[in-house]
Amino acid sequence: MQVNFEQVVLSGTAEDGGLFVPLELPLFEPQEIANWSTLPYDELAYRVMSPFVGEAIPEADFKRLLKEAGSHFSHRSLAPLHQVDRNEWVLELFHGPTRSSKDFAAQLQARLVQYFLRKRQRRGVVLGATNGDTGLAAIEAFKHCDETVVVVLYPQAGVPRDQLQHLQAVAHPRVHKVAVNGSFDDCQTLVSRLLRQWPCAQREVISFNSSNWVGVLAQLVFYFHAVLQLGGGQRPIGFSVPAASFAEVYAGYIAQKMGLPITQMIVATNQNDALHQLFLKNHYSRLRANKTLSPAMDLSIFSNLERFLWELYEHDDQAVSALMGTFESSGEMTLSNACWLQARMIIDSYAVSDEQTLEEITSLYRDTGYVIDPHTATGVLAARLYRRSLVAPMVTLGEISPAKSTALLGELGIIVPTQHRPLEEPGPEQLHRIEHDDLDTLHQLLGAL
C-alpha cells in the first residue's frame, strides 16, 4: 500500500507489520552532487531529503524545520571530520545536545511529528527501546513537544552507568520510562509487538527507533556530507560503521544507489557479532547479548535489516516476508547466494574484541593525541584492517562522544572533560518495571495515558 510522507512520519510500522520503504530512490547525477559542496549542512539535508518528502511539506516550512533541527549542536558544521591517519578520518556525529549521532534523527523527527500533529489536531505516543543514547536523544528532542507523550523501554541491567543516571533522573510528566527485566533485544521485541497491536486508537503511535523512516533520512545526509567534504562528490570513498544500529549501514547502501561514489562499507561489531556472521558466512541468528565495552552494540536484532533485504531482493515483497517470517519463528536466516554475493560486493565486516578495542583507543591517543570512545574504536580498527584501497579515503562514523566514556578512558590514563549535562530537576516519577514478556502491563500503562 502506498502512503505519503506524513503518514510515514506519524507511524510505527506499516499496516502489515513491516517497515516503510521508498518505492524508488532518487538518482543524483555526479555534477549535481558536486554542486552541493559549498552548502551548509541544513541546505545539503534539504537537497538529499526533499525527493522523499514530496509535497507533504511546503519548501519554506521544510527548510525551516531542518535549520531548527541543527540549532542545538555545539559545532557550526554539525558533523566535522577529524583525520586520524593517512587517508583515514572520523566523522564526528556527537556534537548534538546528548552527544550521540541519535540527535540528528531525534531533533528532526520531533519537529516533523509536531508539525504534522498540529496539522491534524491530534496527539501522539512516541515509543521505542533504548540501551542509552537513542532514548536520551528522543527524550531531549520531544520533551518540548506538547502534542506527544514519550514511552521509553530499556533493559534494567543493560544501560551504561552514565546514560542510566540520566534516564533515571528524567522526571517529566510526559515522559514514561519502562525498565524491562531482560535484554535490549527483549525491549525491541516488546516495542515491535506494541506497534503491531496498538491499543490506543485515540492517539497516533510513532516509533522513535530507526525503524521510523526519518531515522534513515537523517543518516543519509552523513554520507553525502562526508563525501562532499573529502572529494567534492567525485572521489571514491569507503566507510566503516560501528554497528550500534543497522540504519547507518542501510543508509550508506542506498546512498551509493542514489549516486554517491561509495566503494566499500565495513560493518564493525563487537563480541555480539550477528551482523559479522551474516556478511562473513551468510548466517544471521538471534544471539544472547553479551556485555562489552561498547554497550550500544550489545544486540543482535536489527530492524533495518528488513529494508536492506528489500533492496537486495529487488523489491520482492514475498521473498522478504518469507525471510522475516523464518527469522521470527526460528531465530535464524540465510540469504540466497546471489543476494549475499551482491551485498558482499560492497560490504565487509569485522568483529572487534574488548582487548582490541582498548588497544586501539590507547594506541591512537599515544600516536595522535586524539581520543575516541569504544564504539568508534571498533570502526577505526576495522577500517584500518579491512580497507580495500589505500587511495580512497576511509571514514569511520564516530557516533558517540568520548566524554560518555570518561571512567573507562580514565583507567587508561586518558583524561577527557566530562561535559556532563546537568541532571533533570526532581519531578513526578514516571518509572515502571515489567518482565521481558509482559505485554499486558504495557497495554494497561498505555491505556491510562
Side-chain angles (χ1 to χ4, degrees), residues 14 20 36-37 42 47 52 93 96 177 191 208 214 253 259 274 309 345 349 354 381 422 436 445:
F20 289 111
W36 299 343
S37 295
D42 59 299
R47 304 299 177 94
F52 298 98
L93 300 171
K177 299 158 291 178
V191 169
F208 68 67
V214 176
Y253 185 78
L309 295 176
M345 287 181 67
S349 64
D354 277 354
L381 178 61
H436 71 281
L445 164 64

Side-chain angles (χ1 to χ4, degrees), residues 113-375:
V113 166
Q114 185 175 53
Y115 181 89
F116 287 128
L117 286 178
R118 286 180 175 177
K119 176 184 172 183
R120 293 188 178 191
Q121 296 184 327
R122 293 272 288 173
R123 294 189 175 273
V125 175
V126 180
L127 169 72
T130 187
N131 50 10
D133 294 304
T134 308
L136 288 170
I139 291 169
E140 177 67 26
F142 278 96
K143 68 182 183 182
H144 303 297
C145 177
D146 294 337
E147 291 78 8
T148 58
V149 170
V150 181
V151 179
V152 178
L153 279 67
Y154 66 91
Q156 193 167 317
V159 178
R161 184 177 63 182
D162 178 78
Q163 287 94 320
L164 183 61
Q165 286 178 342
H166 281 281
L167 270 176
Q168 291 177 336
V170 173
H172 192 284
R174 288 186 287 99
V175 175
H176 297 259
K177 299 158 291 178
V178 182
V180 177
N181 185 19
S183 68
F184 176 72
D185 286 338
D186 292 327
C187 297
Q188 287 275 58
T189 300
L190 281 170
V191 169
S192 295
R193 292 173 67 188
L194 277 172
L195 294 174
R196 290 196 296 263
Q197 307 168 30
W198 183 239
C200 309
Q202 70 273 23
R203 287 180 183 259
E204 311 282 358
V205 58
I206 304 151
S207 168
F208 68 67
N209 289 117
S210 56
S211 57
N212 189 294
W213 177 248
V214 176
V216 177
L217 270 187
Q219 289 154 4
L220 269 176
V221 187
F222 300 165
Y223 294 94
F224 282 84
H225 174 71
V227 168
L228 286 166
Q229 295 299 303
L230 290 176
Q234 308 292 312
R235 188 180 183 188
I237 292 181
F239 287 89
S240 179
V241 185
S245 163
F246 198 74
E248 289 94 340
V249 181
Y250 168 68
Y253 185 78
I254 64 173
Q256 190 236 22
K257 287 177 169 285
M258 292 165 63
L260 277 189
I262 298 175
T263 55
Q264 182 188 14
M265 295 189 66
I266 303 172
V267 178
T269 74
N270 57 21
Q271 180 183 344
N272 300 288
D273 64 348
L275 288 177
H276 175 52
Q277 294 302 319
L278 171 62
F279 294 111
L280 179 69
K281 299 178 179 178
N282 191 13
H283 181 254
Y284 176 67
S285 60
R286 184 187 296 120
L287 304 173
R288 182 178 179 84
N290 297 294
K291 289 186 177 182
T292 71
L293 297 177
S294 43
M297 299 159 64
D298 293 348
L299 66 155
S300 65
I301 298 177
F302 299 87
S303 58
N304 274 276
L305 184 59
E306 182 179 345
R307 288 187 170 119
F308 179 68
L309 295 176
W310 196 70
E311 288 295 334
L312 279 183
Y313 278 78
E314 298 181 343
H315 303 182
D316 186 336
D317 294 340
Q318 292 185 343
V320 175
S321 294
L323 275 172
M324 297 307 297
T326 298
F327 180 72
E328 185 83 19
S329 59
S330 69
E332 296 183 310
M333 178 194 300
T334 299
L335 311 186
S336 72
N337 197 53
C339 288
W340 181 69
L341 290 174
Q342 177 71 23
R344 291 289 286 112
M345 287 181 67
I346 185 173
I347 297 177
D348 294 297
S349 64
Y350 185 60
V352 181
S353 68
D354 277 354
E355 292 76 14
Q356 289 174 301
T357 298
L358 292 174
E359 173 57 30
E360 185 60 31
I361 293 171
T362 304
S363 64
L364 187 65
Y365 179 70
R366 180 185 64 234
D367 297 341
T368 70
Y370 187 60
V371 183
I372 54 176
D373 84 298
H375 305 81

